[in-house]
Amino acid sequence: RQGDFSKAKPFLQKDLEWREKMHPELVKQADFPTALASGCWRMLGCTPAGLPVVIIQLGLWDPGKYDVDEYERSIIYFLEKIMGRGRGEKFVVMFDMHGWKLSHVMYMRNIARLLSTLQDHYPERLASALIFRVPGIFASAWRAIKRFVDPATASKVVFVGASPEAEHLAFAAAGAWELIPKSYGGPREGPVPVPNIPGECNVPSAPDLVP
């Protein structure tokens, strides 16, 4: 909390209790099989600056198939594993919002769990969050979601314009352009498996990364 220990102390205590309960370093793929196989989350690689890049496809998100605790374990797994893959401790996340549905609003608990996990237990790890291909119906949902987003996190959120040119500029600014698959207009050849984390097993049945 910006060097103020008196402000940081309660957050530290909460984090220590959470880590004692969750043992994030021990979370494995078998702990969230349905969420993993959905292919919603996968790693694209690392930027030239050494920042891991994760893409999240909302079109593949079906939280009705698993509970919020499995969703939290999936978040923990990715955050724990990608932290050791780059240089430093920050990462870039890309949210492909194509496929966002009004029914997703019913799972606000999941969204709140994502934000609380990131903000309370992995603070200052987010370098930037690129939100692109955003449908108009997401605007009202964002107003509700933003209530859970702290100012430090909100300052790193970038809404990307709808044109291919805007996407190219945003991805390049984040250092991620060379990681972008051809299906998204980028230069990368071949499929992107799930979870695509070095040293971890990929899921053969996971869907392809198709916009």
Side-chain angles (χ1 to χ4, degrees):
R1 302 306 181 192
Q2 291 153 357
D4 189 329
F5 181 73
S6 63
K7 291 181 179 179
K9 187 175 180 179
F11 292 99
L12 178 60
Q13 182 62 40
K14 181 179 178 182
D15 180 59
L16 290 173
E17 292 171 357
W18 177 84
R19 290 180 181 277
E20 180 66 24
K21 173 186 175 184
M22 299 300 298
H23 296 286
E25 72 284 357
L26 300 180
V27 175
K28 55 190 182 299
Q29 292 185 3
D31 296 325
F32 60 105
T34 307
L36 178 65
S38 73
C40 181
W41 288 54
R42 69 191 81 196
M43 184 176 173
L44 290 179
C46 292
T47 70
L51 300 180
V53 179
V54 173
I55 186 167
I56 300 173
Q57 280 190 298
L58 267 293
L60 296 175
W61 190 44
D62 192 357
K65 292 184 176 179
Y66 46 89
D67 62 26
V68 69
D69 292 326
E70 178 168 341
Y71 184 56
E72 181 178 20
R73 290 192 293 272
S74 73
I75 297 165
I76 292 168
Y77 170 85
F78 272 90
L79 292 177
E80 286 287 320
K81 297 301 181 183
I82 67 173
M83 286 299 101
R85 304 306 170 190
R87 299 192 297 273
E89 297 185 334
K90 292 184 179 291
F91 68 96
V92 175
V93 62
M94 301 169 57
F95 289 91
D96 175 3
M97 301 301 296
H98 178 72
W100 170 269
K101 299 175 286 190
L102 286 175
S103 60
H104 283 146
V105 178
M106 296 171 55
Y107 297 96
M108 197 60 71
R109 283 184 63 214
N110 299 62
I111 297 169
R113 189 73 65 92
L114 166 63
L115 291 168
S116 67
T117 301
L118 177 63
Q119 295 174 162
D120 295 344
H121 308 298
Y122 300 88
E124 307 303 326
R125 299 294 178 87
L126 180 65
S128 62
L130 308 181
I131 302 180
F132 65 106
R133 303 193 179 181
V134 183
I137 58 172
F138 182 68
S140 58
W142 175 245
R143 286 193 290 271
I145 293 167
K146 200 172 180 181
R147 294 185 291 116
F148 300 103
V149 183
D150 69 30
T153 302
S155 68
K156 299 170 184 176
V157 174
V158 177
F159 279 89
V160 179
S163 70
E165 294 78 12
E167 290 185 1
H168 186 167
L169 287 172
F171 300 158
W177 177 247
E178 295 300 321
L179 304 175
I180 304 301
K182 282 201 167 183
S183 58
Y184 278 91
R188 179 180 184 153
E189 301 276 1
V192 181
V194 176
N196 195 36
I197 298 173
E200 297 293 304
C201 293
N202 289 322
V203 181
S205 60
D208 292 335
L209 184 65
V210 179

